[in-house]
Amino acid sequence: MKGHQSAARRKSRSVSGQSSSPTKPSAQSSVRANSFLSKRVLLACLVLIAASVAVYAPVRNFRFVMWDDPEYVLDNVHVAQGLTWQGARWALTSTDAANWHPVTWLSHLLDVQLYGMNAGPQHVTNLLLHIFNTLLLFGLLYRMTEALGRSTFVAGLFAVHPLHVESVAWISERKDVLSTLFWLLTMWAYVAYVRRPGRRRYLLMLLLFALGLMAKPMLVTLPFVLLLLDFWPLQRGLELPRLVKEKLPLFALAAVSSVVTFLVQRQGGAVKGFERVPLSLRLTHAPVAYLAYIGKMLWPVRLAALYPIGTATPIWLGSLGALLLIGVTIFAIRAGRRHGYFPVGWLWYVGTLIPVIGLVQVGDQSLADRYTYVPLIGLFLIVAWGAPELVARWRYGKSALPFVAACVLLACAALARVQVRYWSDSTALWQHAIEVTEGNYTAHNNLGAVLVKQGRADEAIPHFAEALRIRPNFAPAQNNMGMALMWQGKLDEAARYFGEALRNQPDYVDAQNNLGMALTWQGKLDEAVRHFDEALRLNPDFAEAHDKLGNALAGQGRVDEAIAEYTEALRLKPGLAEAHNDLGVALGRQGKLDEATRHFVEALRIRPDYVDASNNLKLALASQGKDAP
């Protein structure tokens, strides 16, 4: 019996040996396959990086644009100080720009600390974040689906689609690319938690989500997207109560962020009331906006920095749009049994746009390209996974698909490269917006403001007039018209426009300051001081108002008080050349010529072409018996 068992064991070992002998080459083949796959993954990453750089390389030479960039960076006295403890405390508590996003503020502080007020490197920071986001999206999709080609295509569309240019090429949209970085990192942490559940992984996910909300609150929809991923491609089943319970801390953070954001934006005047944008207009506009974004995704031409709110959308058009959305949603859900990507991609798109679709109206735009940065990923998923299934029955469909995909990406890249150049400076940005939109009073106003800064007031006035024709009570255009007229020496007309701006918007800080300037030039110093004081009551950190108040006080003979205002202006904004020059003049009146000279020299260092400072320096040196340099 033992001999029989031994024979059987020998036979078993023999059979096992015969069957195992071919497994060695198979294992080697697996290693070679994995090595080849790794090379393909690396190649895909390099292609995605190269495509992003090819599209966005010009941004390294771009300037700041006169649209939010002054408020976020250029004229922000806190950001100008760089990354300091004081600046960090401000970032954590600030509600400037009608937002609470401390992580975004910290990134701007760090930029200034590293690069100063040089716009080029700050643009490059946005580009680097966009590249990281592209690679994270690619890696995440590949990790979840193991579909290399489709994951690459989605990431490629994300990298080079023209609708994403605004998020990347605009320094003030740092919050978009930065928050998306945390969005994708949160998703990576979630997938890691799903595969190996543990407290540390869950806490890491919560931390990343919280940081993302503090970069831009649009992440409030991320918990819903994680539920979609549970359905596809993670295949976690349909136990919805368990999956929702698992994400309750995420939903709680999202709810708190939503409340804080609404309160801050309403306090900052960014939320438009129903008297400005009626509920009926919002309800009819929202479904049309969903379809408009899809149209822009498919045909990304005539893109603008701002699309103005026009006349009310006809009820029939809004109703038709709503029916189409409902129909597609029902179809997507029914198709989910066989094509899980369809409902996930569609609901990703619909859900992530809800905060910015216009039901709560923030700002004067009807649409915004930057709002599509994350939502379009859902539609990209549908295209990438649906196209192969659609052409599978065609004779040459499968073989032609890579070529078609490459053509689509190249076309998007070419259009995006064209769109990028419009963000090179403020003039190009707003001229293009006027060309591709109708009734764009904001674009006319902003272009006029740029022309005034360039000393081209005559060219600016027709743009302000057009803005006021389209929207007669538009306070920013009234204020800017006053500025243009003031530089032309038409002080009475200028003061009238500033007054109209304040009647339409009593808390308009710039108009208070500008009216004070016009009154100062008219010699009405008592009235001027009152308007400067009001401007500083509304914004105590308004360095220019401190400087102009100093001028009015100096005109009244209150030189000591004027010097105090100039000093405060320079404390808030050390690079304010006008304050250095004005302080130099005041010190000169007190006979402090050495100190005055230092301030004239500093004004010229900041602005070498500053004629008044140059003349004042020569006078100060001549008074001391010194030769001008």
Side-chain angles (χ1 to χ4, degrees), residues 145-172:
T145 66
E146 297 185 357
L148 181 61
R150 299 177 189 190
S151 301
T152 305
F153 183 67
V154 171
L157 283 174
F158 179 85
V160 302
H161 199 282
L163 280 178
H164 290 172
V165 168
E166 184 171 297
S167 295
V168 184
W170 185 16
I171 289 176
S172 293

Side-chain angles (χ1 to χ4, degrees), residues 45-59 126-135 155-161 168 373 413 416-417 420:
C45 291
L46 292 175
V47 169
L48 291 171
I49 293 172
S52 300
V53 171
V55 169
Y56 290 103
V59 301
N126 273 25
L127 173 56
L128 291 175
L129 288 169
H130 179 61
I131 291 173
F132 292 153
N133 292 340
T134 300
L135 297 178
L157 283 174
F158 179 85
V160 302
H161 199 282
V168 184
Y373 193 64
R417 180 63 183 250
V420 164

Side-chain angles (χ1 to χ4, degrees), residues 516 519-532 551-558:
L519 292 169
T520 299
W521 291 2
Q522 289 178 309
K524 302 175 182 179
L525 299 179
D526 291 340
E527 293 181 58
V529 168
R530 286 198 296 271
H531 284 286
F532 290 131
N551 289 343
L553 293 170
Q556 293 177 322
R558 299 155 65 181

Side-chain angles (χ1 to χ4, degrees), residues 84-408:
T84 63
W85 285 112
Q86 182 180 358
R89 286 195 298 271
W90 168 81
L92 292 170
T93 58
S94 170
T95 58
D96 286 16
N99 274 300
W100 183 72
H101 42 36
V103 172
T104 295
W105 284 129
L106 288 171
S107 77
H108 287 301
L109 290 168
L110 180 59
D111 265 4
V112 173
Q113 184 70 29
L114 294 174
Y115 317 124
M117 284 296 177
N118 190 346
Q122 298 188 42
H123 279 292
V124 172
T125 299
N126 273 25
L127 173 56
L128 291 175
L129 288 169
H130 179 61
I131 291 173
F132 292 153
N133 292 340
T134 300
L135 297 178
L136 284 171
L137 177 61
F138 164 70
L140 179 69
L141 292 176
Y142 178 60
R143 185 182 184 194
M144 292 190 296
T145 66
E146 297 185 357
L148 181 61
R150 299 177 189 190
S151 301
T152 305
F153 183 67
V154 171
L157 283 174
F158 179 85
V160 302
H161 199 282
L163 280 178
H164 290 172
V165 168
E166 184 171 297
S167 295
V168 184
W170 185 16
I171 289 176
S172 293
E173 270 310 295
R174 170 68 53 80
K175 55 185 177 287
D176 216 359
V177 289
L178 185 60
S179 64
T180 302
L181 175 71
F182 287 108
W183 174 296
L184 293 166
L185 288 173
T186 302
M187 293 179 74
W188 270 86
Y190 178 68
V191 172
Y193 166 77
V194 167
R195 294 188 173 177
R196 291 184 60 191
R199 180 177 297 178
R200 291 184 178 179
R201 290 183 177 83
Y202 194 87
L203 291 176
L204 175 62
M205 176 181 64
L206 281 179
L207 174 63
L208 292 169
F209 181 54
L211 290 172
L213 290 170
M214 290 190 288
K216 185 178 182 180
M218 195 166 171
L219 269 75
V220 293
T221 58
L222 179 53
F224 296 96
V225 173
L226 297 182
L227 284 172
L228 295 176
L229 296 184
D230 287 335
F231 174 71
W232 181 91
L234 296 179
Q235 307 290 343
R236 298 188 70 197
L238 297 176
E239 300 178 29
L240 191 59
R242 176 180 64 83
L243 297 175
V244 170
K245 182 179 178 181
E246 174 187 68
K247 298 171 183 62
L248 285 179
L250 295 169
F251 283 111
L253 285 174
V256 171
S257 177
S258 298
V259 172
V260 170
T261 299
F262 178 77
L263 293 176
V264 169
Q265 291 184 337
R266 187 174 66 176
Q267 180 184 4
V271 177
K272 304 301 178 183
F274 290 123
E275 70 283 354
R276 173 73 182 90
V277 184
L279 179 61
S280 58
L281 190 153
R282 303 181 192 205
L283 292 176
T284 55
H285 170 73
V288 175
Y290 273 112
L291 299 176
Y293 283 127
I294 295 174
K296 288 181 179 297
M297 182 198 80
L298 297 173
W299 193 249
V301 297
R302 299 180 67 81
L303 305 180
L306 187 139
Y307 307 95
I309 298 175
T311 56
T313 304
I315 294 178
W316 68 267
L317 184 59
S319 301
L320 179 61
L323 288 174
L324 283 173
L325 289 177
I326 293 171
V328 174
T329 301
I330 294 172
F331 176 80
I333 293 172
R334 294 185 65 179
R337 294 182 180 180
R338 296 182 57 189
H339 312 286
Y341 61 85
F342 202 129
V344 169
W346 177 251
L347 294 177
W348 178 316
Y349 169 70
V350 172
T352 54
L353 268 177
I354 287 176
V356 291
I357 203 62
L359 297 177
V360 177
Q361 183 65 39
V362 178
D364 290 327
Q365 68 281 341
S366 61
L367 304 169
D369 295 351
R370 60 187 178 276
Y371 292 161
T372 68
Y373 193 64
V374 168
L376 283 189
I377 295 173
L379 298 184
F380 295 161
L381 289 174
I382 294 175
V383 173
W385 265 262
E389 295 184 6
L390 187 64
V391 303
R393 298 179 181 178
W394 299 356
R395 182 175 181 182
Y396 300 108
K398 188 174 181 180
S399 59
L401 200 57
F403 174 75
V404 174
C407 289
V408 169

